[in-house]
Amino acid sequence: MGNIRTSFVKRLAKELIETHPGIFTTSFDENKKLVMEYSTVSTKHLRNKIAGYVTRLVRLEQTQE
């Protein structure tokens, strides 16, 4: 069973990747700091969800290349 992410998390993660290309990496801890810097997320839980999805998208993008 996998994680189910809300459309808000997915939309915001994709927007961050599109508006800041090449900044996000495959490191979750680094992405947490970048999400906090580039978005206005209010809670730690939501920040971690978005950073995790960004990390996943970056990894998928790298494997497709």
Side-chain angles (χ1 to χ4, degrees):
M1 300 297 267
N3 293 333
I4 298 174
R5 293 178 180 85
T6 62
S7 59
F8 175 74
V9 170
K10 290 181 180 183
R11 181 177 50 82
L12 194 57
K14 289 175 186 176
E15 283 178 8
L16 286 172
I17 289 175
E18 288 174 5
T19 56
H20 307 287
I23 292 178
F24 293 99
T25 64
T26 57
S27 169
F28 172 73
D29 292 322
E30 207 171 304
N31 288 340
K32 278 196 308 188
K33 295 173 188 171
L34 292 170
V35 166
M36 194 167 39
E37 183 179 335
Y38 292 118
S39 69
T40 59
V41 177
S42 59
T43 62
K44 187 191 319 185
H45 181 75
L46 192 55
R47 180 200 66 201
N48 288 347
K49 289 273 192 186
I50 294 168
Y53 193 61
V54 166
T55 304
R56 179 177 169 82
L57 290 177
V58 170
R59 284 183 184 160
L60 284 173
E61 187 177 292
Q62 286 183 352
T63 58
Q64 290 176 353
E65 293 176 349

